Amino acid sequence: MTMSEYTDAVREHFANPRNPGKLADATGNGQAGEGTGGDLMIQIGIRAPEGVVEEARFRAFGCSATIASASVTTELLKGRSLEQVLALEAEEVDAALGGLPACKRHCAAYAAEAAHAAARDNLERLPASG
């Protein structure tokens, strides 16, 4: 695919990704993707000590759609409760990018899966109440 086949939002998030890098003090980490044979891998770290995402960062290996999906997902997560993160759908990631080509929609799904995994990890680390 050429970059001209992507929306302006995908091109912008690929050229200027938001929140790249590892979050050293993450309270939840998650990853998703193939991770083999040059396929994509997305890792998302969140900081949500009170159950609301304060910060999210990503590391991604893959194509421009992978990087754009991870980037926009970190933006979508901020200010959400962990329950809202768990409800994040790949379609919301895709819509935030103005729509990915059909052959690249799995990138949005991986980004949502990585966010879900980070939220579950955070919930497992929270002290039990009561």
Side-chain angles (χ1 to χ4, degrees), residues 4-130:
S4 65
E5 297 176 73
Y6 290 107
T7 65
D8 289 344
V10 172
R11 289 194 300 270
E12 172 58 26
H13 275 276
F14 172 68
N16 300 296
R18 281 42 157 209
N19 311 303
K22 187 174 182 178
L23 187 57
D25 58 347
T27 58
N29 289 291
Q31 65 183 35
E34 301 293 327
T36 60
D39 290 328
L40 60 95
M41 177 64 70
I42 295 174
Q43 178 185 40
I44 291 181
I46 60 172
R47 183 171 52 235
E50 302 298 321
V52 175
V53 177
E54 293 176 354
E55 187 172 1
R57 296 213 177 267
F58 79 92
R59 294 189 302 169
F61 173 77
C63 65
S64 51
T66 301
I67 293 165
S69 294
S71 173
V72 79
T73 297
T74 61
E75 291 290 293
L76 291 170
L77 297 180
K78 291 178 186 175
R80 291 188 181 202
S81 69
L82 295 173
E83 291 75 19
Q84 290 170 322
V85 172
L86 290 169
L88 177 71
E89 301 271 342
E91 292 79 13
E92 185 178 352
V93 176
D94 183 59
L97 291 170
L100 290 166
C103 65
K104 295 295 183 177
R105 289 196 188 120
H106 64 279
C107 299
Y110 286 146
E113 287 174 29
H116 298 163
R120 285 191 302 272
D121 183 41
N122 195 124
L123 286 167
E124 289 172 5
R125 295 180 191 202
L126 290 174
S129 59

